[in-house]
């Protein structure tokens, strides 16, 4: 009876985690990042008590997402690292590869150190992780290594396409577009950003959409298409939650 009760409690927390995650990405205005953060911390404590370390790793990822959206990047990196460490301990390879570069690429570390971490993560992975390849490509673009950056992104897109996860592919293309803006290639940026924006819009995803469409607006502005750029900026503003620092920037 006690085992059934504990199992039901674990299942309840897991369901709430997934529901909160969906809300976080699709309806960002439904709850503030502070509310999401408090829920994630509560979930971590309860899942630890219940002995569900896989759930703890999952909740750490949600905590990192909430912290990262609010601009607390150093704390987000710590949450992601903690989650991946727990996931590796319990043999959850899928969770151990989640957000492998997100906190690194957008965090406070020097870019050269970030590139070292990204390369190490790729070397340690059993299979190429699309997000890690994309994170490496983004970092390389920041250093001006645009040919190597493009190759990393092309590999990331190919791998994500093999896996058939449309949301993941849209995320990679969003970062690919940002890298092309670093390379001062607004036409190339539009070419990868527009399908990402359209895919996210079709999914009803709001959080990443607000950033992706803002980047598209920047590409259009650089191309001299002012009306289209303004429309993209308006779409981003409408989709951006009040505490979504990344999109507001």
């Amino acid at each position: 009876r006690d085992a059934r009760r504990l199992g039901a409690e674990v299942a309840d927390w897991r369901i709430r985690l997934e529901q909160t995650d969906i809300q976080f990405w699709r309806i960002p205005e439904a709850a503030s990042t502070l509310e999401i953060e408090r829920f994630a911390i509560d979930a971590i404590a309860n899942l630890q008590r219940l002995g569900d370390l896989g759930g703890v790793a999952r909740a750490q990822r949600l905590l990192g997402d909430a912290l990262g959206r609010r601009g607390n990047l150093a704390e987000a990196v710590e949450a992601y690292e903690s989650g991946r460490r727990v996931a590796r301990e319990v043999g959850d390879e899928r969770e151990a590869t989640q957000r492998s570069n997100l906190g690194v690429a957008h965090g406070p570390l020097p870019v050269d150190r970030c590139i070292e971490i990204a390369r190490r993560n790729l070397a340690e992975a059993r299979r190429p992780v699309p997000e890690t390849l994309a994170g490496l490509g983004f970092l390389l673009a920041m250093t001006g290594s645009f040919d190597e950056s493009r190759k990393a992104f092309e590999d990331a897109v190919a791998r994500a396409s093999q896996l058939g996860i449309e949301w993941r592919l849209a995320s990679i293309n969003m970062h690919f577009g940002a890298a092309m803006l670093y390379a001062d290639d607004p036409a190339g940026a539009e070419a990868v950003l527009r399908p990402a924006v359209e895919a996210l819009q079709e999914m009803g995803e709001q959080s990443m959409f607000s950033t992706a469409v803002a980047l598209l607006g920047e590409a259009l502005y650089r191309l001299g298409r002012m009306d289209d750029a303004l429309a993209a900026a308006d779409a981003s503003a409408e989709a951006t939650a009040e505490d979504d620092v990344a999109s507001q920037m």
Side-chain angles (χ1 to χ4, degrees):
R1 185 176 299 172
D2 286 345
R4 286 198 298 271
R5 180 182 60 79
L6 290 174
E9 197 171 348
V10 167
D12 179 63
W13 276 107
R14 286 284 197 141
I15 290 168
R16 290 173 63 192
L17 265 175
E18 296 308 317
Q19 289 174 333
T20 303
D21 186 69
I22 291 170
Q23 174 183 281
F24 179 85
W25 292 107
R26 297 197 64 171
I27 320 171
E29 70 277 6
S32 71
T33 53
L34 283 171
E35 290 173 312
I36 300 292
E37 179 184 346
R38 285 193 290 267
F39 168 78
I41 291 171
D42 197 20
I44 290 165
N46 279 281
L47 289 165
Q48 281 178 330
R49 173 179 59 81
L50 295 165
D52 180 16
L53 295 183
V56 169
R58 179 69 185 83
Q60 287 281 7
R61 171 155 55 102
L62 179 62
L63 175 60
D65 288 340
L67 291 165
R69 179 181 289 174
R70 200 164 64 250
N72 295 351
L73 297 177
E75 294 177 52
V77 170
E78 291 181 11
Y80 291 140
E81 284 290 344
S82 295
R84 289 196 297 272
R85 184 169 57 250
V86 172
R88 286 192 294 269
E89 288 174 3
V90 298
D92 187 342
E93 183 183 351
R94 180 183 179 280
E95 187 61 44
T97 63
Q98 298 295 312
R99 308 294 191 272
S100 57
N101 269 10
L102 188 59
V104 174
H106 301 286
L109 293 176
V111 66
D112 289 344
R113 175 62 180 140
C114 293
I115 289 173
E116 288 178 17
I117 294 171
R119 292 193 191 280
R120 184 193 67 204
N121 288 340
L122 282 170
E124 292 176 350
R126 290 186 183 180
R127 305 175 188 84
V129 180
E131 290 89 342
T132 308
L133 285 164
L136 177 61
F138 182 76
L139 291 163
L140 289 166
M142 293 174 70
T143 67
S145 302
F146 298 122
D147 289 342
E148 197 176 356
S149 170
R150 180 182 290 274
K151 177 63 167 60
F153 273 112
E154 288 172 350
D155 290 346
V157 168
R159 179 63 178 149
S161 298
Q162 287 175 352
L163 296 172
I165 304 175
E166 193 173 3
W167 184 90
R168 182 178 290 185
L169 184 59
S171 174
I172 289 166
N173 277 325
M174 180 182 75
H175 286 86
F176 197 177
M180 287 191 169
L181 290 173
Y182 272 116
D184 197 23
D185 181 4
E190 182 192 4
V192 294
L193 285 166
R194 189 170 293 283
V197 166
E198 291 173 352
L200 292 167
Q201 197 167 28
E202 191 171 317
M203 292 177 212
E205 198 281 346
Q206 291 288 295
S207 181
M208 190 161 51
F209 169 81
S210 62
T211 304
V213 76
L215 289 168
L216 177 59
E218 174 65 18
L220 295 168
Y221 172 79
R222 294 193 196 181
L223 290 167
R225 290 155 57 185
M226 300 305 178
D227 289 344
D228 291 340
L230 182 59
D234 288 343
S236 176
E238 185 176 345
T240 299
E242 289 185 6
D243 54 0
D244 185 348
V245 176
S247 292
Q248 290 170 6
M249 290 172 63

